[in-house]
Amino acid sequence: MCSSDLRAWGDNRFGQAAIPASLTGAVAVAAGHFHSVALRPDGTVVCWGDNSALQSTVPPGLSGVVAIAAGAAHTVALKSDGSLVSWGSNDRRQTTAPANLPRIARIAAGDYHTLALSRQGMIFAWGDTAQKQVAVPSRISPSIAISAGAGYSLALTATGNAVGWGTPAVAAQSNPQTNLFAVSAGFQAAAGIRARIDGDQDGIDDGTEVALGLSSVVPDTDQDGLEDGVELRLGLNPLATDSDQDGV
């Protein structure tokens, strides 16, 4: 179902895919188990779908919101002053934020827990503790991004490393993920986007150069005066000084 520039699809048993007709624009969206959330350009929030835990009942007068997150049956909003507002199910204290939180820069909501990242890169977590998803490891500070899944949490450190904790099957990383610039925690799987690293600044990322047999340290592998990236764009062979064997 759609409304102006918004789109929603999938299970609609609770009306969670039926975008309100009055909602004609949004700058961010979030989806819980059976409810949906949208952030309007003016900083107000709209919720629809299941409201059995009041997760779709936006607090009166809420404004100045810059980010939103949705858990299984709770909703979290981040205001421009760095403060949080939460509503909906609190059966596992997922809407009860710790006292004296510093100014927050990012938020994330798992099924039954909530994460917040301060402007100094510190992570705070509260809610369900069954899988230790709120036991933030000290080694991950400072961080630049957070995400929350079903029983686990994920953070991206300032050095580009992904660190997870909580549900053992997801959080335990036998193959640590590095050189990332974005992470996302799904229901039982995590994903990340690897940063393109171009050590020799020739326009080709290191991974591609290694795969092609090129040097990732020297920008001109064949030393013919043309950088590898330039040669590839021109259709030349960056491994041969005379691609067409014409003597030039």
Side-chain angles (χ1 to χ4, degrees), residues 23 30 47 64 90 103 164 171 173 180 183 188 202 222:
L23 181 57
C47 295
N90 196 36
R103 297 180 71 180
Q173 297 177 26
L180 303 176
V183 293
Q188 287 292 328
D202 63 355
D222 58 8

Side-chain angles (χ1 to χ4, degrees), residues 1-140:
M1 297 185 181
C2 63
S3 174
S4 184
D5 54 350
L6 300 181
R7 299 293 186 271
W9 58 94
D11 187 348
N12 196 35
R13 286 176 292 170
F14 296 89
Q16 65 266 41
I19 301 171
S22 60
L23 181 57
T24 58
V27 295
V29 292
H33 275 195
F34 301 111
H35 77 294
S36 301
V37 189
L39 175 61
R40 284 183 170 129
D42 64 0
T44 60
V45 176
V46 179
C47 295
W48 64 96
D50 184 27
N51 197 35
S52 58
L54 301 181
Q55 66 267 47
S56 295
T57 301
V58 181
L62 179 63
S63 62
V65 175
V66 294
I68 51 176
H74 75 289
T75 308
V76 187
L78 171 65
K79 300 188 66 173
S80 58
D81 63 1
S83 63
L84 302 183
V85 179
S86 303
W87 61 95
S89 177
N90 196 36
D91 58 343
R92 302 179 204 190
R93 300 185 66 78
Q94 61 266 50
T95 62
T96 303
N100 301 316
L101 275 179
R103 297 180 71 180
I104 298 302
R106 296 177 183 268
I107 54 175
D111 274 6
Y112 307 107
H113 72 293
T114 304
L115 300 178
L117 178 66
S118 76
R119 298 184 179 184
Q120 289 73 42
M122 298 293 295
I123 297 174
F124 300 84
W126 57 95
D128 188 20
T129 62
Q131 300 292 335
K132 297 184 179 180
Q133 61 267 53
V134 297
V136 183
S138 59
R139 71 181 187 279
I140 65 174

